[in-house]
């Protein structure tokens, strides 16, 4: 049992030690106040901006070492949030259609139908059309190019495509080149990726 002094109080030397007072943290501003909300947004945007760098693959190392280096290099990259839900420049179907039509007419001016030649020619045309469409500079659009060659033998044909479609930003273009022996059809689908 402890002995207490007069009046039931402990002497100051035996009093239990209280922890030192910690400084209070500054209160966060409320997001419902106009100025405070603007400050919160500025802080969040400042934290979300990072530099994005391109890392070239090391070509002189062994294949086993390349995987390790790429994993470590990619782990360090941080991408900035853009919060952009709409394109900087909307896809202009008319200008792309005239360019694709021009490419078809130039490439197929004096070409006769040959199924062996057209299998390679369709790939080359798709690559040329894709590079021409990319020159327009549509940011964040992904393009799907279909080039079809159809021999004229008196038949009818239906061509159909299905996509998940955003009617506000996605679009498509069709260009046709027709001769006596075949029909060339080029389809360009422009899909906006947020």
């Amino acid at each position: 049992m402890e002995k207490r002094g007069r009046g039931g109080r402990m002497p100051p030397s035996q009093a239990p030690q209280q922890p030192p007072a910690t400084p209070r943290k500054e209160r966060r501003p409320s997001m419902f106040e106009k100025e405070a909300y603007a400050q919160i947004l500025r802080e969040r945007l400042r934290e979300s901006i990072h530099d994005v760098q391109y890392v070239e693959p090391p070509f002189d190392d062994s294949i086993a070492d390349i995987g390790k280096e790429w994993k470590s290099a990619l782990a360090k990259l941080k991408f900035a949030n853009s919060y952009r839900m709409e394109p900087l420049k909307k896809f202009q179907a008319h200008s792309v259609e005239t360019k694709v039509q021009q490419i078809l007419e130039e490439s197929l001016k004096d070409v006769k139908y040959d199924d062996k030649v057209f299998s390679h020619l369709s790939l080359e045309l798709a690559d040329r059309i894709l590079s021409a469409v990319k020159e327009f500079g549509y940011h964040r659009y992904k393009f799907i190019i279909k080039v079809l060659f159809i021999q004229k033998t008196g038949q009818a044909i239906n061509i159909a495509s299905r996509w998940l479609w955003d009617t506000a930003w996605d679009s498509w273009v069709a260009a046709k080149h027709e001769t006596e022996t075949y029909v060339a059809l080029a389809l360009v689908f422009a899909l906006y990726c947020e």
Side-chain angles (χ1 to χ4, degrees), residues 113 149-155 177-184:
Y113 185 82
F149 289 102
I150 304 152
Q151 184 180 15
K152 284 186 177 178
T153 55
Q155 81 279 17
H177 177 75
E178 191 170 349
T179 65
E180 295 176 1
T181 56
Y182 66 91
V183 175

Side-chain angles (χ1 to χ4, degrees), residues 19-182:
T22 57
R24 287 189 173 183
K25 290 184 180 178
E26 190 175 311
R27 190 178 138 245
R28 289 179 59 186
S30 171
M31 67 179 280
F32 297 107
E33 299 171 6
K34 199 171 196 178
E35 294 82 23
Y37 183 68
Q39 179 186 356
I40 290 170
L41 283 179
R42 279 193 299 273
E43 288 174 4
R44 286 185 184 169
L45 289 176
R46 188 178 327 114
E47 292 171 0
S48 70
I49 296 173
H50 302 286
D51 290 335
V52 180
Q53 299 174 356
Y54 172 72
V55 180
E56 290 188 15
F59 291 108
D60 55 346
D61 295 334
S62 69
I63 295 176
D65 295 336
I66 290 175
K68 294 175 188 173
E69 289 182 23
W70 269 96
K71 284 183 182 177
S72 64
L74 291 176
K76 295 175 188 173
L77 289 179
K78 293 183 179 180
F79 295 97
N81 295 326
S82 67
Y83 305 106
R84 182 173 297 282
M85 302 296 285
E86 57 191 37
L88 295 171
K89 182 166 92 170
K90 191 173 177 181
F91 184 76
Q92 302 292 323
H94 178 69
S95 58
V96 172
E97 183 179 359
T98 56
K99 183 67 175 176
V100 172
Q101 187 69 41
Q102 179 185 2
I103 290 171
L104 282 180
E105 289 174 3
E106 288 174 2
S107 302
L108 304 173
K109 191 183 302 181
D110 298 323
V111 178
K112 302 241 178 186
Y113 185 82
D114 184 9
D115 56 349
K116 294 177 184 174
V117 173
F118 279 175
S119 63
H120 298 290
L121 187 60
S122 63
L123 295 174
E124 291 173 13
L125 276 174
D127 289 339
R128 280 188 62 192
I129 291 170
L130 180 61
S131 62
V133 170
K134 283 186 175 181
E135 287 177 3
F136 283 99
Y138 296 115
H139 186 65
R140 289 192 175 187
Y141 272 95
K142 295 198 181 212
F143 301 103
I144 299 169
I145 314 292
K146 281 183 163 185
V147 177
L148 305 166
F149 289 102
I150 304 152
Q151 184 180 15
K152 284 186 177 178
T153 55
Q155 81 279 17
I157 188 167
N158 290 326
I159 299 171
S161 299
R162 283 192 175 180
W163 308 96
L164 289 175
W165 204 257
D166 181 5
T167 56
W169 309 118
D170 298 343
S171 186
W172 66 283
V173 168
K176 183 172 82 170
H177 177 75
E178 191 170 349
T179 65
E180 295 176 1
T181 56
Y182 66 91

